[in-house]
Amino acid sequence: MKTRITELFGIEHPIIQGGMHYVGFAELAAAVANAGGLGIITGLTQRTPELLANEIRRCRELTDKPFGVNLTFLPALQSPDYPGYVRAIIEGGVKIVETAGNNPQKWLPALRDAGVKVIHKCTSVRHALKAQSIGCDAVSVDGFECGGHPGEDDVPNFILLPRAADELRLPFVASGGMADARSLVAALALGADGMNMGTRFIATQEAPVHDNVKRAIVAATELDTRLVMRPLRNTERVLKNAAVDRLLEKERTLGADLKLADIIPEIAGVYPRIMLEGDLDAGAWSCGMVVGLIHDIPTVKELIDRIMAEAHALIDERLARLTDSGGSGRAG
Ligand SMILES: Cc1cc2nc3c(=O)[nH]c(=O)nc-3n(C[C@H](O)[C@H](O)[C@H](O)COP(=O)(O)O)c2cc1C
């Protein structure tokens, strides 16, 4: 399947694995790359630019296919060494960067000079148009369903994607709520050039996270996520657990007085304990509504091969039959 996204990034299938804190290590990015998708290392999970440089080297030992690095610009207690991370990416020879959060404009000239393609992840048409105007190469349009930060507009993908298709010139992928062939074919029908998945890729053999996390994803339903940090305008969709209940109780009690400092125990530094040690209640962790569609823990290759095979069958059989006047096979 060739789309503007497969062409832009030189990948076989129009499937991207979005950056995920303490999930997007070299093992997962390389597995996705080797299966023909675009795998992405999460830059800030590496505590220093030197560690990121090392992770990029490790990924290169695991695959000779293209892979990317995610750079997230979100409110943080201490601002990360972004110039150092950008240098590690460029010197590491990485040619694709996924940016997310704040406007990446400041970093575009250096990345462009180094021949790096930038896909910016955003949650509104307005931000996607901004990304287009500042010279990003593509955007990832993240609907309200998504795991992580859905923004503050709450527009689900059935509206957001066609709106993006109507407004954008540059290639874009659908992100948020994507799990299988149906997601991919629907995303293409709505005007996207491929799809980006987060939560689905956590429940794979190669995702280097604790089995408790994978099992929790398989066990959860679409009713099990919650939105936290809305009063701080830093909304995050997470899997509900004891820490999330506590956090939401603080939001209710403190109301407009809530400060980031009030919820530090539930959000700061919790990812290693959850993802690496499997302590699921250690804090709030991002998770999409798409958990309701995840029932197994395949290898990345099995997952991607299944999506592509079923997508072709969906298009060539089910959809083709609908347009066939006789209803008994493909027209023409
Ligand atoms: C555990 C987890 C951690 C994430 N961490 C990041 C991150 O650090 N930076 C980022 O840009 N997106 C992050 N995301 C968002 C994903 O890249 C992706 O946009 C999102 O998961 C898509 O929605 P889905 O989960 O419904 O597939 C994270 C998502 C999850 C589930």
Side-chain angles (χ1 to χ4, degrees), residues 18-21 42 70 72 100 121 142 146-147 175-177 196 198-199 286 290:
M20 286 180 281
H21 200 35
T42 316
N70 168 284
T72 300
K121 188 159 54 193
D142 222 8
C146 73
S175 178
N196 178 63
T199 306
S286 294
V290 73

Side-chain angles (χ1 to χ4, degrees), residues 1-51:
M1 192 181 280
K2 267 199 173 60
T3 72
R4 293 188 297 171
I5 282 292
T6 60
E7 300 292 285
L8 178 67
F9 294 135
I11 52 177
E12 196 183 342
H13 308 303
I15 299 178
I16 301 179
Q17 165 251 314
M20 286 180 281
H21 200 35
Y22 277 89
V23 181
F25 292 98
E27 288 80 3
L28 181 60
V32 175
N34 286 332
L38 177 62
I40 293 183
I41 294 173
T42 316
L44 299 190
T45 297
Q46 304 302 321
R47 284 187 324 280
T48 64
E50 293 69 34
L51 289 171

Side-chain angles (χ1 to χ4, degrees), residues 138-215:
V139 288
S140 213
V141 175
D142 222 8
F144 182 52
E145 307 88 332
C146 73
H149 293 267
E152 311 303 324
D153 291 348
D154 303 354
V155 183
N157 267 335
F158 250 93
I159 308 296
L160 190 59
L161 297 173
R163 281 282 298 117
D166 284 346
E167 301 265 352
L168 293 174
R169 264 181 293 104
L170 84 182
F172 73 98
V173 294
S175 178
M178 306 284 135
D180 54 29
R182 294 169 300 186
S183 321
L184 176 59
V185 174
L188 296 170
L190 293 171
D193 302 280
M195 69 174 175
N196 178 63
M197 301 194 294
T199 306
R200 171 67 268 197
F201 275 119
I202 306 178
T204 58
Q205 296 291 327
E206 292 93 335
V209 302
H210 198 283
D211 275 347
N212 289 355
V213 179
K214 302 182 189 185
R215 280 198 288 262

